[in-house]
Amino acid sequence: MARIAALTNGSPHSWIVINHLADALGPITVLTEEQEARSLLIRRRMRKQGAITVLGQMGFVFLQKFVAKASAKRIGEIVASHQLDPKPGAACHVIAVGSVNSETCRKALAELNPDAAVVFGTRIIGKETLAVIKCPLINFHSGINPLYRGQAGGYWALATGDKDHAGVTVHLVDTGVDTGAVLYQALFQPTARDNFTTYFWLQASAIRPISVQAVRDVLRGHLKPYDTGLASRQWYHPTLWFYLWTGLTKGVW
């Protein structure tokens, strides 16, 4: 049986995809990391984007806590209608590693020596960890690459009026931010009742079939990366004021 490893932040969205992979391909060893310290994240973003933008993003994140609670019914409908499984699956062996860039993680990967490895929602994986993984490493990204690299690609496509590129990507991992070669892409179809929070649930559903196909390609040694011909841009969280303005003027929440 193939040895498959998944590196993840343990979010419900990641489990939706990992459980689907396990159903199709067999047991998976899941290495889960803890959330990065918020203070470190804020300082790093301030260096890149400036204090005013980051303060606006913090306001947006605070508001999203209320949006997520208000979206509970819609999320339940998505889970039921798409038959999603967002909880840790029995077919998975879970190992807590602290960080994907920790020695604990590298040791676990070296011992497992996987035939295929996937990543969903972790911090950027450093060169030391990448060097331990001898098989192709593929990422499940919530956006169409390379046009919507980074965060919330589905939201940004809709917010900028580019619904034809509101989707998901499975791609190879390199040292950049979602810059690896594209393997598969798919679109998702939000309704007027969906928002920033629920987009991710729809995207997790949309990426399931192409994630299985990509891992099967790895196991068979038949990867088929291709050039999308799209421009490349990295995105971050919206600011609170941009989010409210876009919601009120375009109906994209």
Side-chain angles (χ1 to χ4, degrees):
M1 182 175 294
R3 299 183 301 275
I4 303 174
L7 296 90
T8 178
N9 59 3
S11 68
H13 316 109
S14 67
W15 278 111
I16 287 169
V17 182
I18 291 169
N19 287 331
H20 189 75
L21 285 172
D23 288 343
L25 302 172
I28 295 176
T29 300
V30 183
L31 310 182
T32 60
E33 70 168 9
E34 299 173 357
Q35 186 175 6
E36 187 176 12
R38 188 172 296 276
S39 59
L40 294 176
L41 180 62
I42 290 173
R43 286 201 295 269
R44 186 166 63 247
R45 287 190 179 178
M46 281 189 173
R47 288 195 296 268
K48 288 184 177 181
Q49 299 174 272
I52 294 176
T53 296
V54 173
L55 287 173
Q57 292 171 338
M58 291 170 63
F60 162 78
V61 171
F62 179 76
L63 176 62
Q64 282 304 301
K65 294 179 181 180
F66 297 96
V67 174
K69 290 182 180 179
S71 302
K73 182 178 179 180
R74 175 58 181 153
I75 291 171
E77 292 173 355
I78 295 171
V79 169
S81 63
H82 292 261
Q83 298 182 320
L84 307 181
D85 184 1
K87 296 182 180 180
C92 299
H93 173 52
V94 180
I95 302 173
V97 296
S99 165
V100 292
N101 295 316
S102 68
E103 184 59 35
T104 301
C105 182
R106 290 191 285 271
K107 181 179 179 181
L109 286 168
E111 291 177 353
L112 179 61
N113 188 25
D115 301 305
V118 303
V119 58
F120 193 121
T122 69
R123 68 198 72 189
I124 300 299
I125 301 176
K127 293 181 180 179
E128 287 185 83
T129 298
L130 290 176
V132 173
I133 304 172
K134 305 304 179 183
C135 62
L137 176 61
I138 57 179
N139 183 45
F140 304 142
H141 175 63
S142 297
I144 293 292
N145 285 352
L147 189 56
Y148 294 101
R149 299 185 297 109
Q151 296 174 320
Y155 166 81
W156 281 113
L158 296 168
T160 56
D162 188 17
K163 65 179 181 179
D164 290 339
H165 290 109
V168 292
T169 299
V170 177
H171 66 93
L172 293 171
V173 175
D174 59 17
T175 56
V177 179
D178 302 323
T179 53
V182 171
L183 300 174
Y184 292 100
Q185 294 183 321
L187 302 180
F188 73 101
Q189 301 295 329
T191 71
R193 298 178 58 210
D194 289 305
N195 57 52
F196 189 96
T197 293
T198 64
Y199 297 151
F200 288 102
W201 294 83
L202 293 169
Q203 288 173 288
S205 177
I207 207 168
R208 290 179 301 167
I210 60 175
S211 67
V212 172
Q213 187 59 56
V215 175
R216 282 181 173 152
D217 289 348
V218 171
L219 296 176
R220 295 168 180 169
H222 295 299
L223 286 174
K224 296 170 285 188
Y226 69 97
D227 184 357
T228 66
L230 297 171
S232 179
R233 181 175 176 183
Q234 183 176 350
W235 301 78
Y236 301 88
H237 277 131
T239 59
L240 177 61
W241 43 86
F242 178 89
Y243 177 74
L244 293 175
W245 178 82
T246 302
L248 291 171
T249 60
K250 298 184 179 181
V252 177
W253 294 98

